[in-house]
Amino acid sequence: MDSTRVTEHPTSHERPESGAGPTDPRGALLRTQEPPRAAPAPALPAQARMGDAPAEPGTSAPCAKSGQAPSEHSQPAATEPDPHRPRPAPETIPAQPGGEPERAGGVGGALDRRSGQGVPPGAPMPMRRDGDRLRFVGAATRRIARGIDLDEIVMGLCRATVPTFSDAILVYLREPLPVGDERPTGPMVLRLRRTDRIPEERDTDTGFMPVLQQPEPVDLAVVTAEQCEVRPGGALAEVLRGVRPVFADAPAAHDALPELLGPDAELTVPTGQRAILAPLRGRRRVIGAAVFLRRPERMAFEQDDLLVAAQLATHSALGIDKAVLYGREAYIADELQRTMLPEALPRCTGVRLAHRYLPAAETARVGGDWYDAIPLPGSRVALVVGDVMGHSMTSAAIMGQLRTTAQTLAGLDLPPQEVLHHLDEQAQRLGTDRMATCLYAVYDPVSHRITIANAGHPPPVLLHLGGRAEVLRVPPGAPIGVGGVDFEAVELDAPAGGTLLLYTDGLVESRLRDVWTGIEQLREKLAATAQLTGPDHPPPLEALCDEVLDMLGPGDRDDDIALLAARFDGIAPSDVAYWFLEPEEMAPGRARRLARHALSRWGLEELTDSVELLISEVVTNAVRYATRPVTLRLLRTDVLRCEVTDDVPQLPRLRQARATDEGGRGLYLVNRLAKRWGATRLSAGKVVWFELNHA
């Protein structure tokens, strides 16, 4: 039967050389019905996998089953490899300890391809090619670059070099580390930051075999000095100034290593070229040094290993520089956020407060959310929560300005809608794109009422004493910074035992849910928490805040969260005494009599003398300049509070009266006898108050 040959024309990169026969592997690929016979050639040993039986000499592994023709894409079997094609380099970095030998050499040993000498069994193989070093440097620098903070970068350097490159490493860093363009003052001090080494004994599971007939290993972890001061003009200063790594036996490092490691460094540093001292230089200055060590039974470092050490030192130093800068920026951001938010809320009459703040991420602990509680005249308190767009340092700075403005406006005792109006003007002065939402509420514990104005903020939730949670209907308003918008305030009941929850949208809005769904979940969470304590006992404030934050899922942390909870205790009408006094000379005497009767009714007769004296002084100053009736109010809570209100806007100031002055000593007595006192300007006058402790 005739056989028909079909010849495939070679492509441009497969064109055969002149004189190449059809069976030459460098020629055109021929396909026939029968496999082509290759010219006899010496067989190569097959690359057997782990566990396969070794091939017999002179045989080769078949490429197909017997009796089957090779496929169209199969390689010819038992053909001589192309001598012009280089063997591919190994893809992985050869592990130094316990490396597999390339070919047998000696008894149970391996041959070094460069020197041809045998390597004892279990001893680490050197890096055989320049490609091995390049792959090692690439893997090591990637591991170092993964670190963010200082400790992660130093640990990455140690883990990348031990045991692949060295048996031990010592990393010294400057103390303190310079930040950015700072010019360090004083002498350079290096402190041992981290050390790492191969353990003296390892089990056989890790592939380590004890070295036979080797000298006693030197303990590379012994360091006699963990801190050293670099002497100007000394050997260590010269090596650090040179920047390039040096061997331990180099003349420059002969005296530098004992200065760095301590006077007994000869006991810890191996002889010969088994130690490398590499300076760590950042962007502008030397920030430390690294010492790479190998045991005496290990092959010594080579000249090319200095380049490897230089690359490791450079990448580590630049990473440390960036980590220090990042740490400084994170510290500034944390301090900025800490100073912008109140460290502790004030103690206000008739209300208890709790608060929480959660940043959007731990790596950026700054944002534009804020909360505040501001005491107001008449035992009232202003509750504020706001949210500036974004959660960056710029947002935190704008938040701080708006919070300061809100505190100033609250001190003027302006209505809530007027406060939001002035905040809107302030935001427009800061910039055209400075947008924020804010909710401002004023609680009066005497009247048990609360006045709320809203500027585009989520509505508050009121948890009643019986366990019912209610989303308050407050006009939404426009965000602060829009301009030209009128804000509206509403006055609502604030029953005793109720809890008002103010929050930012980060608590109820995320990528997984819209804001109204989150508000409904918050209302249900509050109601469920209140059921645990019963209808007659409200849940504790701190525990309530923790329960509210537990409603957040893994995908709900898209924004900062500010939370302010206010428990309304109020002041009972029986604990309030209120009078109007005409601005006349008899007013101080009448004020003393009224106060005496009120204290007798409350059982506080022990405070009668002090209260009469202080009320007489304050009322006398008020009626001297007032043109309208003066109000006197006594409040009995955990303290006894006295408030005197008049229509004169000038605030009294404490001053030292001279011996010839007839007056000026009233506030001095108030300052000495009262627990606390103060004066606050109102929209139409002022109020002077003082507090006394009672049993």
Side-chain angles (χ1 to χ4, degrees), residues 377-378 411 413 618 621-626 629-631 643-653 667 678-689:
D413 196 27
V618 176
N621 292 335
V623 301
R624 179 177 299 177
Y625 305 103
V630 176
T631 60
E643 299 174 352
V644 177
T645 307
D646 58 59
D647 61 345
V648 181
Q650 286 78 16
L651 299 180
R653 301 298 181 188
L667 289 181
T680 307
R681 182 177 286 108
L682 303 177
S683 57
K686 69 175 180 298
V687 57
V688 180
W689 57 270

PDB file of all heavy atoms in Angstrom, residues 377-378 411 413 618 621-626 629-631 643-653 667 678-689:
ATOM      1  N   PRO A 377     -28.196  78.754  79.880  1.00  0.00           N
ATOM      2  CA  PRO A 377     -28.814  79.388  81.052  1.00  0.00           C
ATOM      3  C   PRO A 377     -30.166  78.757  81.373  1.00  0.00           C
ATOM      4  O   PRO A 377     -30.857  78.225  80.510  1.00  0.00           O
ATOM      5  CB  PRO A 377     -28.954  80.852  80.624  1.00  0.00           C
ATOM      6  CG  PRO A 377     -27.963  81.037  79.527  1.00  0.00           C
ATOM      7  CD  PRO A 377     -27.866  79.733  78.823  1.00  0.00           C
ATOM      8  N   GLY A 378     -30.551  78.844  82.652  1.00  0.00           N
ATOM      9  CA  GLY A 378     -31.818  78.278  83.074  1.00  0.00           C
ATOM     10  C   GLY A 378     -31.801  76.778  83.182  1.00  0.00           C
ATOM     11  O   GLY A 378     -32.864  76.147  83.014  1.00  0.00           O
ATOM     12  N   GLY A 411     -23.782  79.992  73.337  1.00  0.00           N
ATOM     13  CA  GLY A 411     -23.524  80.876  74.465  1.00  0.00           C
ATOM     14  C   GLY A 411     -24.309  82.166  74.415  1.00  0.00           C
ATOM     15  O   GLY A 411     -24.518  82.820  75.447  1.00  0.00           O
ATOM     16  N   ASP A 413     -27.391  82.181  73.607  1.00  0.00           N
ATOM     17  CA  ASP A 413     -28.763  81.756  73.903  1.00  0.00           C
ATOM     18  C   ASP A 413     -29.707  82.089  72.753  1.00  0.00           C
ATOM     19  O   ASP A 413     -30.817  82.591  72.950  1.00  0.00           O
ATOM     20  CB  ASP A 413     -29.260  82.397  75.202  1.00  0.00           C
ATOM     21  CG  ASP A 413     -30.508  81.693  75.740  1.00  0.00           C
ATOM     22  OD1 ASP A 413     -30.674  80.497  75.444  1.00  0.00           O
ATOM     23  OD2 ASP A 413     -31.309  82.343  76.420  1.00  0.00           O
ATOM     24  N   VAL A 618     -26.273  89.010  95.083  1.00  0.00           N
ATOM     25  CA  VAL A 618     -26.570  88.926  93.647  1.00  0.00           C
ATOM     26  C   VAL A 618     -27.782  89.778  93.296  1.00  0.00           C
ATOM     27  O   VAL A 618     -27.794  90.502  92.283  1.00  0.00           O
ATOM     28  CB  VAL A 618     -26.773  87.453  93.234  1.00  0.00           C
ATOM     29  CG1 VAL A 618     -27.179  87.366  91.760  1.00  0.00           C
ATOM     30  CG2 VAL A 618     -25.501  86.642  93.476  1.00  0.00           C
ATOM     31  N   ASN A 621     -26.959  93.553  93.210  1.00  0.00           N
ATOM     32  CA  ASN A 621     -26.304  93.974  91.969  1.00  0.00           C
ATOM     33  C   ASN A 621     -27.289  94.036  90.810  1.00  0.00           C
ATOM     34  O   ASN A 621     -27.150  94.869  89.902  1.00  0.00           O
ATOM     35  CB  ASN A 621     -25.167  93.016  91.625  1.00  0.00           C
ATOM     36  CG  ASN A 621     -24.006  93.106  92.602  1.00  0.00           C
ATOM     37  OD1 ASN A 621     -23.816  94.141  93.241  1.00  0.00           O
ATOM     38  ND2 ASN A 621     -23.243  92.030  92.727  1.00  0.00           N
ATOM     39  N   ALA A 622     -28.301  93.155  90.805  1.00  0.00           N
ATOM     40  CA  ALA A 622     -29.253  93.124  89.694  1.00  0.00           C
ATOM     41  C   ALA A 622     -30.197  94.320  89.730  1.00  0.00           C
ATOM     42  O   ALA A 622     -30.434  94.971  88.696  1.00  0.00           O
ATOM     43  CB  ALA A 622     -30.035  91.811  89.722  1.00  0.00           C
ATOM     44  N   VAL A 623     -30.760  94.614  90.902  1.00  0.00           N
ATOM     45  CA  VAL A 623     -31.755  95.692  90.973  1.00  0.00           C
ATOM     46  C   VAL A 623     -31.116  97.066  90.876  1.00  0.00           C
ATOM     47  O   VAL A 623     -31.810  98.060  90.653  1.00  0.00           O
ATOM     48  CB  VAL A 623     -32.574  95.580  92.276  1.00  0.00           C
ATOM     49  CG1 VAL A 623     -33.291  94.242  92.346  1.00  0.00           C
ATOM     50  CG2 VAL A 623     -31.683  95.779  93.502  1.00  0.00           C
ATOM     51  N   ARG A 624     -29.787  97.147  91.032  1.00  0.00           N
ATOM     52  CA  ARG A 624     -29.136  98.449  90.956  1.00  0.00           C
ATOM     53  C   ARG A 624     -29.220  99.020  89.552  1.00  0.00           C
ATOM     54  O   ARG A 624     -29.327 100.248  89.371  1.00  0.00           O
ATOM     55  CB  ARG A 624     -27.684  98.326  91.401  1.00  0.00           C
ATOM     56  CG  ARG A 624     -26.903  99.627  91.343  1.00  0.00           C
ATOM     57  CD  ARG A 624     -25.493  99.427  91.878  1.00  0.00           C
ATOM     58  NE  ARG A 624     -25.507  98.990  93.272  1.00  0.00           N
ATOM     59  CZ  ARG A 624     -24.393  98.680  93.970  1.00  0.00           C
ATOM     60  NH1 ARG A 624     -23.212  98.763  93.372  1.00  0.00           N
ATOM     61  NH2 ARG A 624     -24.488  98.297  95.219  1.00  0.00           N
ATOM     62  N   TYR A 625     -29.185  98.175  88.510  1.00  0.00           N
ATOM     63  CA  TYR A 625     -29.164  98.661  87.128  1.00  0.00           C
ATOM     64  C   TYR A 625     -30.379  98.202  86.319  1.00  0.00           C
ATOM     65  O   TYR A 625     -30.571  98.672  85.187  1.00  0.00           O
ATOM     66  CB  TYR A 625     -27.898  98.174  86.414  1.00  0.00           C
ATOM     67  CG  TYR A 625     -26.619  98.535  87.142  1.00  0.00           C
ATOM     68  CD1 TYR A 625     -25.929  97.581  87.893  1.00  0.00           C
ATOM     69  CD2 TYR A 625     -26.108  99.829  87.077  1.00  0.00           C
ATOM     70  CE1 TYR A 625     -24.759  97.910  88.560  1.00  0.00           C
ATOM     71  CE2 TYR A 625     -24.933 100.165  87.743  1.00  0.00           C
ATOM     72  CZ  TYR A 625     -24.266  99.197  88.485  1.00  0.00           C
ATOM     73  OH  TYR A 625     -23.104  99.527  89.158  1.00  0.00           O
ATOM     74  N   ALA A 626     -31.182  97.288  86.826  1.00  0.00           N
ATOM     75  CA  ALA A 626     -32.297  96.752  86.047  1.00  0.00           C
ATOM     76  C   ALA A 626     -33.428  97.761  85.939  1.00  0.00           C
ATOM     77  O   ALA A 626     -33.653  98.591  86.833  1.00  0.00           O
ATOM     78  CB  ALA A 626     -32.805  95.459  86.687  1.00  0.00           C
ATOM     79  N   PRO A 629     -38.640  93.835  85.920  1.00  0.00           N
ATOM     80  CA  PRO A 629     -38.620  92.927  87.070  1.00  0.00           C
ATOM     81  C   PRO A 629     -37.495  91.899  86.979  1.00  0.00           C
ATOM     82  O   PRO A 629     -37.154  91.391  85.907  1.00  0.00           O
ATOM     83  CB  PRO A 629     -39.997  92.266  87.018  1.00  0.00           C
ATOM     84  CG  PRO A 629     -40.861  93.264  86.332  1.00  0.00           C
ATOM     85  CD  PRO A 629     -39.986  93.917  85.319  1.00  0.00           C
ATOM     86  N   VAL A 630     -36.939  91.600  88.139  1.00  0.00           N
ATOM     87  CA  VAL A 630     -35.869  90.612  88.268  1.00  0.00           C
ATOM     88  C   VAL A 630     -36.500  89.288  88.682  1.00  0.00           C
ATOM     89  O   VAL A 630     -37.405  89.255  89.534  1.00  0.00           O
ATOM     90  CB  VAL A 630     -34.816  91.077  89.297  1.00  0.00           C
ATOM     91  CG1 VAL A 630     -33.756  90.013  89.490  1.00  0.00           C
ATOM     92  CG2 VAL A 630     -34.189  92.390  88.840  1.00  0.00           C
ATOM     93  N   THR A 631     -36.027  88.183  88.078  1.00  0.00           N
ATOM     94  CA  THR A 631     -36.554  86.861  88.413  1.00  0.00           C
ATOM     95  C   THR A 631     -35.572  86.133  89.309  1.00  0.00           C
ATOM     96  O   THR A 631     -34.348  86.194  89.104  1.00  0.00           O
ATOM     97  CB  THR A 631     -36.811  86.036  87.148  1.00  0.00           C
ATOM     98  OG1 THR A 631     -35.592  85.880  86.423  1.00  0.00           O
ATOM     99  CG2 THR A 631     -37.845  86.722  86.266  1.00  0.00           C
ATOM    100  N   GLU A 643     -30.685  81.041  90.551  1.00  0.00           N
ATOM    101  CA  GLU A 643     -30.530  81.806  89.322  1.00  0.00           C
ATOM    102  C   GLU A 643     -31.238  83.156  89.471  1.00  0.00           C
ATOM    103  O   GLU A 643     -32.405  83.210  89.879  1.00  0.00           O
ATOM    104  CB  GLU A 643     -31.126  81.048  88.129  1.00  0.00           C
ATOM    105  CG  GLU A 643     -30.466  79.707  87.861  1.00  0.00           C
ATOM    106  CD  GLU A 643     -31.169  78.924  86.773  1.00  0.00           C
ATOM    107  OE1 GLU A 643     -32.255  79.362  86.328  1.00  0.00           O
ATOM    108  OE2 GLU A 643     -30.641  77.877  86.373  1.00  0.00           O
ATOM    109  N   VAL A 644     -30.538  84.216  89.120  1.00  0.00           N
ATOM    110  CA  VAL A 644     -31.076  85.575  89.159  1.00  0.00           C
ATOM    111  C   VAL A 644     -30.933  86.158  87.757  1.00  0.00           C
ATOM    112  O   VAL A 644     -29.823  86.244  87.221  1.00  0.00           O
ATOM    113  CB  VAL A 644     -30.348  86.455  90.195  1.00  0.00           C
ATOM    114  CG1 VAL A 644     -30.894  87.877  90.161  1.00  0.00           C
ATOM    115  CG2 VAL A 644     -30.464  85.855  91.582  1.00  0.00           C
ATOM    116  N   THR A 645     -32.081  86.576  87.159  1.00  0.00           N
ATOM    117  CA  THR A 645     -32.106  87.061  85.784  1.00  0.00           C
ATOM    118  C   THR A 645     -32.558  88.513  85.766  1.00  0.00           C
ATOM    119  O   THR A 645     -33.504  88.896  86.469  1.00  0.00           O
ATOM    120  CB  THR A 645     -33.054  86.207  84.925  1.00  0.00           C
ATOM    121  OG1 THR A 645     -32.700  84.834  85.061  1.00  0.00           O
ATOM    122  CG2 THR A 645     -32.979  86.602  83.468  1.00  0.00           C
ATOM    123  N   ASP A 646     -31.862  89.344  84.960  1.00  0.00           N
ATOM    124  CA  ASP A 646     -32.252  90.743  84.789  1.00  0.00           C
ATOM    125  C   ASP A 646     -32.099  91.115  83.325  1.00  0.00           C
ATOM    126  O   ASP A 646     -31.680  90.286  82.498  1.00  0.00           O
ATOM    127  CB  ASP A 646     -31.418  91.659  85.694  1.00  0.00           C
ATOM    128  CG  ASP A 646     -29.924  91.532  85.444  1.00  0.00           C
ATOM    129  OD1 ASP A 646     -29.490  91.782  84.304  1.00  0.00           O
ATOM    130  OD2 ASP A 646     -29.183  91.152  86.379  1.00  0.00           O
ATOM    131  N   ASP A 647     -32.418  92.375  82.989  1.00  0.00           N
ATOM    132  CA  ASP A 647     -32.395  92.831  81.604  1.00  0.00           C
ATOM    133  C   ASP A 647     -31.145  93.618  81.253  1.00  0.00           C
ATOM    134  O   ASP A 647     -31.108  94.308  80.224  1.00  0.00           O
ATOM    135  CB  ASP A 647     -33.633  93.684  81.315  1.00  0.00           C
ATOM    136  CG  ASP A 647     -33.698  94.927  82.205  1.00  0.00           C
ATOM    137  OD1 ASP A 647     -32.956  94.963  83.218  1.00  0.00           O
ATOM    138  OD2 ASP A 647     -34.481  95.835  81.896  1.00  0.00           O
ATOM    139  N   VAL A 648     -30.098  93.540  82.055  1.00  0.00           N
ATOM    140  CA  VAL A 648     -28.848  94.259  81.792  1.00  0.00           C
ATOM    141  C   VAL A 648     -27.876  93.295  81.107  1.00  0.00           C
ATOM    142  O   VAL A 648     -27.560  92.239  81.669  1.00  0.00           O
ATOM    143  CB  VAL A 648     -28.237  94.809  83.093  1.00  0.00           C
ATOM    144  CG1 VAL A 648     -26.946  95.566  82.789  1.00  0.00           C
ATOM    145  CG2 VAL A 648     -29.237  95.709  83.795  1.00  0.00           C
ATOM    146  N   PRO A 649     -27.395  93.586  79.889  1.00  0.00           N
ATOM    147  CA  PRO A 649     -26.535  92.623  79.177  1.00  0.00           C
ATOM    148  C   PRO A 649     -25.106  92.543  79.697  1.00  0.00           C
ATOM    149  O   PRO A 649     -24.411  91.566  79.437  1.00  0.00           O
ATOM    150  CB  PRO A 649     -26.560  93.133  77.725  1.00  0.00           C
ATOM    151  CG  PRO A 649     -26.823  94.595  77.848  1.00  0.00           C
ATOM    152  CD  PRO A 649     -27.700  94.771  79.068  1.00  0.00           C
ATOM    153  N   GLN A 650     -24.617  93.571  80.442  1.00  0.00           N
ATOM    154  CA  GLN A 650     -23.231  93.549  80.909  1.00  0.00           C
ATOM    155  C   GLN A 650     -23.042  92.436  81.950  1.00  0.00           C
ATOM    156  O   GLN A 650     -23.814  92.345  82.913  1.00  0.00           O
ATOM    157  CB  GLN A 650     -22.813  94.891  81.507  1.00  0.00           C
ATOM    158  CG  GLN A 650     -22.590  95.989  80.488  1.00  0.00           C
ATOM    159  CD  GLN A 650     -23.898  96.576  79.985  1.00  0.00           C
ATOM    160  OE1 GLN A 650     -24.951  96.376  80.613  1.00  0.00           O
ATOM    161  NE2 GLN A 650     -23.844  97.305  78.884  1.00  0.00           N
ATOM    162  N   LEU A 651     -21.995  91.623  81.740  1.00  0.00           N
ATOM    163  CA  LEU A 651     -21.723  90.530  82.660  1.00  0.00           C
ATOM    164  C   LEU A 651     -20.847  91.014  83.809  1.00  0.00           C
ATOM    165  O   LEU A 651     -19.892  91.780  83.596  1.00  0.00           O
ATOM    166  CB  LEU A 651     -21.019  89.379  81.931  1.00  0.00           C
ATOM    167  CG  LEU A 651     -21.792  88.718  80.785  1.00  0.00           C
ATOM    168  CD1 LEU A 651     -20.960  87.608  80.168  1.00  0.00           C
ATOM    169  CD2 LEU A 651     -23.123  88.191  81.261  1.00  0.00           C
ATOM    170  N   PRO A 652     -21.108  90.576  85.031  1.00  0.00           N
ATOM    171  CA  PRO A 652     -20.248  90.973  86.154  1.00  0.00           C
ATOM    172  C   PRO A 652     -18.917  90.240  86.100  1.00  0.00           C
ATOM    173  O   PRO A 652     -18.835  89.086  85.656  1.00  0.00           O
ATOM    174  CB  PRO A 652     -21.075  90.568  87.377  1.00  0.00           C
ATOM    175  CG  PRO A 652     -21.933  89.451  86.899  1.00  0.00           C
ATOM    176  CD  PRO A 652     -22.246  89.745  85.464  1.00  0.00           C
ATOM    177  N   ARG A 653     -17.887  90.917  86.573  1.00  0.00           N
ATOM    178  CA  ARG A 653     -16.547  90.349  86.573  1.00  0.00           C
ATOM    179  C   ARG A 653     -16.001  90.361  87.992  1.00  0.00           C
ATOM    180  O   ARG A 653     -16.207  91.316  88.757  1.00  0.00           O
ATOM    181  CB  ARG A 653     -15.604  91.138  85.652  1.00  0.00           C
ATOM    182  CG  ARG A 653     -16.054  91.188  84.200  1.00  0.00           C
ATOM    183  CD  ARG A 653     -16.127  89.815  83.569  1.00  0.00           C
ATOM    184  NE  ARG A 653     -16.544  89.868  82.165  1.00  0.00           N
ATOM    185  CZ  ARG A 653     -16.836  88.806  81.428  1.00  0.00           C
ATOM    186  NH1 ARG A 653     -16.781  87.603  81.990  1.00  0.00           N
ATOM    187  NH2 ARG A 653     -17.206  88.947  80.178  1.00  0.00           N
ATOM    188  N   LEU A 667     -19.262  89.513  94.500  1.00  0.00           N
ATOM    189  CA  LEU A 667     -18.842  88.340  93.741  1.00  0.00           C
ATOM    190  C   LEU A 667     -17.685  87.623  94.418  1.00  0.00           C
ATOM    191  O   LEU A 667     -17.506  86.409  94.233  1.00  0.00           O
ATOM    192  CB  LEU A 667     -18.448  88.743  92.317  1.00  0.00           C
ATOM    193  CG  LEU A 667     -19.599  89.163  91.392  1.00  0.00           C
ATOM    194  CD1 LEU A 667     -19.064  89.503  90.014  1.00  0.00           C
ATOM    195  CD2 LEU A 667     -20.643  88.056  91.300  1.00  0.00           C
ATOM    196  N   GLY A 678     -21.433  81.333  87.849  1.00  0.00           N
ATOM    197  CA  GLY A 678     -21.175  81.830  86.514  1.00  0.00           C
ATOM    198  C   GLY A 678     -22.199  82.862  86.111  1.00  0.00           C
ATOM    199  O   GLY A 678     -23.194  83.104  86.795  1.00  0.00           O
ATOM    200  N   ALA A 679     -21.944  83.482  84.979  1.00  0.00           N
ATOM    201  CA  ALA A 679     -22.833  84.493  84.411  1.00  0.00           C
ATOM    202  C   ALA A 679     -22.905  84.272  82.912  1.00  0.00           C
ATOM    203  O   ALA A 679     -21.871  84.074  82.258  1.00  0.00           O
ATOM    204  CB  ALA A 679     -22.347  85.905  84.722  1.00  0.00           C
ATOM    205  N   THR A 680     -24.118  84.268  82.361  1.00  0.00           N
ATOM    206  CA  THR A 680     -24.341  84.000  80.945  1.00  0.00           C
ATOM    207  C   THR A 680     -25.220  85.088  80.369  1.00  0.00           C
ATOM    208  O   THR A 680     -26.223  85.476  80.971  1.00  0.00           O
ATOM    209  CB  THR A 680     -25.006  82.628  80.743  1.00  0.00           C
ATOM    210  OG1 THR A 680     -24.242  81.623  81.413  1.00  0.00           O
ATOM    211  CG2 THR A 680     -25.106  82.290  79.269  1.00  0.00           C
ATOM    212  N   ARG A 681     -24.839  85.573  79.194  1.00  0.00           N
ATOM    213  CA  ARG A 681     -25.612  86.612  78.528  1.00  0.00           C
ATOM    214  C   ARG A 681     -26.786  85.986  77.796  1.00  0.00           C
ATOM    215  O   ARG A 681     -26.649  84.967  77.115  1.00  0.00           O
ATOM    216  CB  ARG A 681     -24.731  87.388  77.555  1.00  0.00           C
ATOM    217  CG  ARG A 681     -25.448  88.535  76.848  1.00  0.00           C
ATOM    218  CD  ARG A 681     -24.531  89.317  75.946  1.00  0.00           C
ATOM    219  NE  ARG A 681     -23.616  90.160  76.707  1.00  0.00           N
ATOM    220  CZ  ARG A 681     -22.321  89.922  76.845  1.00  0.00           C
ATOM    221  NH1 ARG A 681     -21.775  88.853  76.268  1.00  0.00           N
ATOM    222  NH2 ARG A 681     -21.555  90.729  77.555  1.00  0.00           N
ATOM    223  N   LEU A 682     -27.940  86.568  77.928  1.00  0.00           N
ATOM    224  CA  LEU A 682     -29.147  86.137  77.238  1.00  0.00           C
ATOM    225  C   LEU A 682     -29.441  87.067  76.076  1.00  0.00           C
ATOM    226  O   LEU A 682     -28.757  88.085  75.882  1.00  0.00           O
ATOM    227  CB  LEU A 682     -30.335  86.109  78.208  1.00  0.00           C
ATOM    228  CG  LEU A 682     -30.177  85.237  79.459  1.00  0.00           C
ATOM    229  CD1 LEU A 682     -31.398  85.376  80.347  1.00  0.00           C
ATOM    230  CD2 LEU A 682     -29.943  83.795  79.089  1.00  0.00           C
ATOM    231  N   SER A 683     -30.471  86.712  75.282  1.00  0.00           N
ATOM    232  CA  SER A 683     -30.857  87.571  74.167  1.00  0.00           C
ATOM    233  C   SER A 683     -31.388  88.913  74.647  1.00  0.00           C
ATOM    234  O   SER A 683     -31.315  89.908  73.922  1.00  0.00           O
ATOM    235  CB  SER A 683     -31.917  86.869  73.306  1.00  0.00           C
ATOM    236  OG  SER A 683     -33.044  86.516  74.101  1.00  0.00           O
ATOM    237  N   ALA A 684     -31.917  88.956  75.871  1.00  0.00           N
ATOM    238  CA  ALA A 684     -32.430  90.219  76.430  1.00  0.00           C
ATOM    239  C   ALA A 684     -32.003  90.337  77.885  1.00  0.00           C
ATOM    240  O   ALA A 684     -32.820  90.400  78.803  1.00  0.00           O
ATOM    241  CB  ALA A 684     -33.948  90.297  76.309  1.00  0.00           C
ATOM    242  N   GLY A 685     -30.696  90.331  78.126  1.00  0.00           N
ATOM    243  CA  GLY A 685     -30.207  90.481  79.490  1.00  0.00           C
ATOM    244  C   GLY A 685     -29.161  89.449  79.832  1.00  0.00           C
ATOM    245  O   GLY A 685     -28.374  89.018  78.983  1.00  0.00           O
ATOM    246  N   LYS A 686     -29.155  89.000  81.082  1.00  0.00           N
ATOM    247  CA  LYS A 686     -28.173  88.031  81.557  1.00  0.00           C
ATOM    248  C   LYS A 686     -28.771  87.265  82.722  1.00  0.00           C
ATOM    249  O   LYS A 686     -29.816  87.628  83.283  1.00  0.00           O
ATOM    250  CB  LYS A 686     -26.890  88.726  82.001  1.00  0.00           C
ATOM    251  CG  LYS A 686     -27.024  89.567  83.255  1.00  0.00           C
ATOM    252  CD  LYS A 686     -25.692  90.106  83.695  1.00  0.00           C
ATOM    253  CE  LYS A 686     -25.785  90.953  84.961  1.00  0.00           C
ATOM    254  NZ  LYS A 686     -26.624  92.166  84.783  1.00  0.00           N
ATOM    255  N   VAL A 687     -28.091  86.178  83.087  1.00  0.00           N
ATOM    256  CA  VAL A 687     -28.448  85.388  84.250  1.00  0.00           C
ATOM    257  C   VAL A 687     -27.170  85.101  85.026  1.00  0.00           C
ATOM    258  O   VAL A 687     -26.142  84.735  84.446  1.00  0.00           O
ATOM    259  CB  VAL A 687     -29.170  84.081  83.853  1.00  0.00           C
ATOM    260  CG1 VAL A 687     -28.317  83.242  82.914  1.00  0.00           C
ATOM    261  CG2 VAL A 687     -29.538  83.275  85.091  1.00  0.00           C
ATOM    262  N   VAL A 688     -27.223  85.305  86.333  1.00  0.00           N
ATOM    263  CA  VAL A 688     -26.120  84.992  87.244  1.00  0.00           C
ATOM    264  C   VAL A 688     -26.589  83.841  88.141  1.00  0.00           C
ATOM    265  O   VAL A 688     -27.674  83.924  88.730  1.00  0.00           O
ATOM    266  CB  VAL A 688     -25.713  86.215  88.084  1.00  0.00           C
ATOM    267  CG1 VAL A 688     -24.561  85.859  89.009  1.00  0.00           C
ATOM    268  CG2 VAL A 688     -25.328  87.383  87.178  1.00  0.00           C
ATOM    269  N   TRP A 689     -25.801  82.795  88.248  1.00  0.00           N
ATOM    270  CA  TRP A 689     -26.201  81.611  88.995  1.00  0.00           C
ATOM    271  C   TRP A 689     -25.056  81.125  89.878  1.00  0.00           C
ATOM    272  O   TRP A 689     -23.874  81.411  89.622  1.00  0.00           O
ATOM    273  CB  TRP A 689     -26.631  80.497  88.044  1.00  0.00           C
ATOM    274  CG  TRP A 689     -25.560  80.120  87.039  1.00  0.00           C
ATOM    275  CD1 TRP A 689     -25.373  80.649  85.810  1.00  0.00           C
ATOM    276  CD2 TRP A 689     -24.518  79.153  87.237  1.00  0.00           C
ATOM    277  NE1 TRP A 689     -24.283  80.093  85.202  1.00  0.00           N
ATOM    278  CE2 TRP A 689     -23.745  79.158  86.054  1.00  0.00           C
ATOM    279  CE3 TRP A 689     -24.161  78.293  88.272  1.00  0.00           C
ATOM    280  CZ2 TRP A 689     -22.640  78.326  85.885  1.00  0.00           C
ATOM    281  CZ3 TRP A 689     -23.062  77.459  88.116  1.00  0.00           C
ATOM    282  CH2 TRP A 689     -22.310  77.483  86.934  1.00  0.00           C
TER     283      TRP A 689
END
